[in-house]
Amino acid sequence: MASLITCPHCGVRPKEEFTIRGDASLVRPAPSASDEAWHDYVYVRANPRGRTVEHWHHVAGCRRFLVVERDTVTHEVYSVVDGATAAREAQR
Amino acid sequence: MRYSAFSIVRNALSGNLNWKPQWRQPQPKSHYDVIIVGGGGHGLATAYYLAKEFGVKNVAVLEKGYLGSGNVGRNTTIVRSNYMLPGNEPFYEFSMKLWEGLEQDLNYNVMLSQRGVIMLYHSDAQRDAYVRRGNAMWMEGVSAELIEREQLKKMIPFLNYDHARYPILGGLLQRRAGTARHDAVAWGYARGADQHGVDIIEHCEVTGIRRENGVVTGVETSKGIIGCGKLALAAAGNSSRVGEMADLKLPLESHVLQAFVTEGLKPCIDHVIVYGGGHFYISQSDKGGLVFGAEIDGYSSYAQRGNLATAEHVMEEGVSMIPGLSRVRVLRAWGGVMDMSMDGSPIIDRTSIDNLYLNCGWCYGGFKATPASGYCFAHLIARNDTHPVARALRLDRFARGYAVDEAGAGPQPNLH
């Protein structure tokens, strides 16, 4: 795993400052969505070999949730953006 | 290949040049009754029990690397059955009993050493939790002992009893637990399966799963297309990738777990000792090296290598439990890819496809489960019926609300 993460707010920081929440590609279903949709959201994971997007929480820094795109084989980090920015762009 | 005292003498006299391989290197046939994907401990054990106990002998095990190159050769060799939940404990105790008879069954020395596994506690609350776990074990007929501090000091004098943050107040001991030689387990099952006619095909990577009318008809591999009556997946860290070939969506995330071994020392650590302040566990191999590990690195990964920060953390935990460890030099470190499930417990079940069977989700507890996993999976494949001790380990337990969450961590794979 790359040992440095470029936080959009704090700059280059060691990855030990972050905790990993998990897959950021999942979209939270509506409260009234089916049990199956909720099951898939809570329990099923694509678990890709290669590029993946994850929510990382900068607990020892700005405490913002970030979206980190990285590779699960080479451990290269492609991009780090603030979670709110990523959500706004997804809505566009 | 069979061994005897006579064969040792005869081969010694002929310069040890005439030993035969322990299993054949067959070319794949065009069709098998059962194909098992994954030639690790669980796949080999499944093939062995299928052939020996359930009479299914037309079986192939497909392994993409060489035999024993995955997690069966990468773990810290601990076998134990000190679980708490009723969905887990009978299964792991079944495994422990199979371990106890494994050497006679396989006629192979797997170096099972029932040296005892002790889990330390550092607070009154943790003691209560271990009393509860010990009682849960007794409820399933498994012996457990609570060792108080003074008694523990006599057993294991070198621990850091007066640590300021994590003073050692005692431990929960399972005397029947211990270690086994992991490579020998893979080789013993491979030889046993081979003797019963199972084809073990190494360097044969599965690249696709063929289906017709909703059932599996065969697999595409690097050695051509092989037909099968039933397909069984035991691909550990790569379960999601193999499952994807049959459109299975699984409750798994692959994570990397590291293990370490030190230079060889004279016998000093008699038990398997598990730290209660972290996840650190340590034992001493028969060769003298201290074998240890702790948490997974925390990020999803398919790389069989770990991160230096985690290595540092593991060693800090170790030194905090056994200060003398700071003088020991680490010889090697390695990583394995764990199929972390969403509740920390494994899955042995049918799938939405009639003749496709699934064995995955072993997290970092797969080695101890090898015999029971193989036996229960073989039972499921041969009889299309779940073995009684594996009845809680179903794929649909998440949807039904019956997760088996030993750690109580919720659906967060990197916390189990």
Side-chain angles (χ1 to χ4, degrees), chain B residues 112-364:
Chain B
L112 177 71
S113 160
Q114 293 177 287
R115 58 185 70 183
V117 170
I118 187 149
M119 302 191 305
L120 305 179
Y121 58 80
H122 311 271
S123 66
D124 291 348
Q126 206 167 16
R127 182 181 182 277
D128 289 348
Y130 282 170
V131 168
R132 182 184 175 209
R133 187 196 285 224
N135 285 337
M137 289 164 65
W138 280 106
M139 297 275 282
E140 300 292 348
V142 184
S143 60
E145 290 168 55
L146 199 72
I147 309 289
E148 302 287 0
R149 182 179 159 105
E150 292 312 311
Q151 194 187 348
L152 189 65
K153 274 185 173 173
K154 292 193 186 106
M155 271 173 65
I156 312 174
F158 49 79
L159 299 177
N160 190 0
Y161 284 91
D162 298 314
H163 191 282
R165 173 65 183 85
Y166 295 109
I168 293 165
L169 306 181
L172 182 70
L173 173 66
Q174 185 187 17
R175 284 193 197 271
R176 287 164 59 234
T179 60
R181 169 88 199 279
H182 53 0
D183 296 323
V185 174
W187 300 333
Y189 273 122
R191 187 184 76 136
D194 184 83
Q195 283 173 347
H196 283 97
V198 172
D199 280 0
I200 298 165
I201 302 160
E202 295 173 73
H203 305 289
C204 179
E205 182 173 359
V206 171
T207 53
I209 295 174
R210 298 206 150 194
R211 280 173 292 166
E212 275 171 35
N213 303 323
V215 294
V216 172
T217 56
V219 288
E220 296 160 18
T221 76
S222 53
K223 293 191 175 182
I225 294 163
I226 311 172
C228 65
K230 293 177 175 178
L231 184 64
L233 307 180
N238 284 302
S239 292
S240 294
R241 300 284 64 75
V242 183
E244 193 178 38
M245 296 171 192
D247 297 324
L248 295 183
K249 291 190 290 181
L250 301 178
L252 298 177
E253 239 180 48
S254 295
H255 283 258
V256 61
L257 175 69
Q258 300 191 62
F260 307 85
V261 66
T262 71
E263 60 190 336
L265 303 173
K266 288 190 175 180
C268 55
I269 297 185
D270 299 333
H271 308 84
V272 179
I273 310 172
V274 184
Y275 194 39
H279 205 283
F280 183 84
Y281 41 87
I282 190 166
S283 64
Q284 187 167 23
S285 76
D286 288 9
K287 213 158 67 177
L290 305 181
V291 184
F292 61 94
E295 293 92 347
I296 51 175
D297 279 24
Y299 47 85
S300 59
S301 173
Y302 281 88
Q304 288 174 313
R305 63 178 186 278
N307 193 278
L308 201 55
T310 306
E312 190 180 11
H313 173 73
V314 170
M315 290 178 208
E316 281 170 353
E317 274 188 40
V319 172
S320 126
M321 180 173 94
I322 306 175
L325 280 185
S326 64
R327 309 254 188 111
V328 185
R329 279 165 294 199
V330 171
L331 213 59
R332 288 185 293 124
W334 61 95
V337 183
M338 311 289 119
D339 35 337
M340 301 299 294
S341 68
M342 298 307 270
D343 60 358
S345 295
I347 294 159
I348 302 175
D349 206 357
R350 288 178 284 257
T351 66
S352 51
I353 299 165
D354 275 348
N355 60 347
L356 180 65
Y357 300 86
L358 183 66
N359 176 322
C360 66
W362 292 98
C363 301
Y364 37 75

Side-chain angles (χ1 to χ4, degrees), chain A residues 52-63:
Chain A
T52 187
V53 284
E54 284 170 333
H55 281 128
W56 286 45
H57 190 198
H58 197 180
V59 282
C62 56
R63 299 197 64 83

Side-chain angles (χ1 to χ4, degrees), chain A residues 1-3 15-16 20-23 39-40 42-50 52 54 56 70 72-75, chain B residues 64 237-238 240-241 249-254 298-303 305 307 309-310 342 398-399 403 411-412 414:
Chain A
M1 183 61 220
S3 29
K15 75 157 183 50
E16 284 65 53
I20 302 170
R21 177 67 182 89
D23 195 339
H39 166 262
D40 288 358
V42 176
Y43 292 110
V44 174
R45 294 291 177 268
N47 194 18
R49 182 188 168 92
T52 187
E54 284 170 333
W56 286 45
R70 63 183 186 90
T72 57
V73 182
T74 66
H75 293 163
Chain B
K64 74 170 175 177
N238 284 302
S240 294
R241 300 284 64 75
K249 291 190 290 181
L250 301 178
L252 298 177
E253 239 180 48
S254 295
Y299 47 85
S300 59
S301 173
Y302 281 88
R305 63 178 186 278
N307 193 278
T310 306
M342 298 307 270
F398 304 100
Q412 182 71 29
N414 61 358

